[in-house]
Amino acid sequence: MTQRLRPAVSEPVILMFSRSQVETCNVDEPLQLLRRLTEDRQTAIDFCGRISLVVDGYNDDPRELFEVPEVRAYIKRLDQAWPSWFFFLSQADESVKLLESCLCETIEVVPGVTSIDLEQLERSLARHFTAVHRLREALGLPEELCEEVADGIIGMFRNSAVERIEGDSYQ
């Protein structure tokens, strides 16, 4: 396990959204917390890669979270107000994939296998990587740390990519 991933596993910070928050699309409370993460250099470094996203209240819902319109709308609203996710999200869980699957058109091809709109994903990734770059400049964050974060995110998507299976139609 890399040194950077260790705090995500041993000292995770769970950012939990309740069903009530999601259904009312009330992002005020999480935004207050998220904005505090970017107030100064040391806080940002301390929380780098430690945030795990959890949406509570949908455990009995048979749909994937990205299939729930209210969850998608909630995540999109948060993302519009605060795009700095990649620097802070844990790469030791599904938080990054949850974020992107809610922001981009995503379908479940077969149980456990999803397909995400690649053009939308490219735009979303570019927006989030730009936010990391701006955060690095604003707070004077170590370039090596930001590169390590970016490499990890890119690796996550490369590792989860599956080629189209011959003869299968996903549309």
Side-chain angles (χ1 to χ4, degrees):
M1 177 181 311
T2 68
Q3 187 64 28
R4 189 185 53 71
L5 287 178
R6 195 163 276 121
V9 174
S10 62
E11 302 172 43
V13 176
I14 307 299
L15 181 57
M16 184 177 299
F17 311 124
S18 71
R19 188 172 187 141
S20 173
Q21 284 174 306
V22 169
E23 289 177 347
T24 61
C25 216
N26 183 353
V27 297
D28 295 340
E29 187 178 340
L31 269 179
Q32 287 176 0
L33 169 78
L34 293 169
R35 287 180 175 145
R36 277 189 243 139
L37 299 178
T38 57
E39 285 179 350
D40 65 82
R41 181 181 194 271
Q42 193 57 53
T43 301
I45 290 171
D46 289 346
F47 286 89
C48 179
R50 290 180 52 200
I51 306 294
S52 290
L53 298 180
V54 175
V55 181
D56 189 39
Y58 292 88
N59 297 347
D60 294 331
D61 193 314
R63 298 172 293 180
E64 296 293 331
L65 288 171
F66 66 81
E67 295 175 309
V68 179
E70 296 84 0
V71 172
R72 292 176 65 85
Y74 189 80
I75 297 292
K76 285 179 182 181
R77 186 164 181 190
L78 265 176
D79 182 66
Q80 287 303 308
W82 195 82
S84 300
W85 297 106
F86 280 2
F87 189 77
F88 298 98
L89 286 181
S90 173
Q91 294 179 23
D93 61 24
E94 299 291 313
S95 294
V96 174
K97 291 177 185 175
L98 172 61
L99 172 73
E100 294 300 342
S101 67
C102 285
L103 296 176
C104 304
E105 244 356 271
T106 305
I107 59 168
E108 187 172 40
V109 180
V110 294
V113 178
T114 58
S115 176
I116 191 165
D117 183 289
L118 292 180
E119 288 180 20
Q120 290 177 12
L121 180 62
E122 271 185 34
R123 286 192 301 272
S124 186
L125 292 174
R127 181 171 181 273
H128 292 124
F129 284 130
T130 298
V132 171
H133 177 74
R134 288 186 179 141
L135 189 63
R136 181 181 67 79
E137 288 182 339
L139 298 179
L141 298 171
E143 187 171 348
E144 319 77 56
L145 179 59
C146 294
E147 286 176 8
E148 188 177 346
V149 166
D151 289 346
I153 299 283
I154 291 167
M156 288 176 68
F157 282 99
R158 279 196 180 130
N159 291 338
S160 65
V162 176
E163 295 290 324
R164 177 180 286 276
I165 299 169
E166 279 304 312
D168 283 349
S169 174
Y170 301 134
Q171 297 175 357

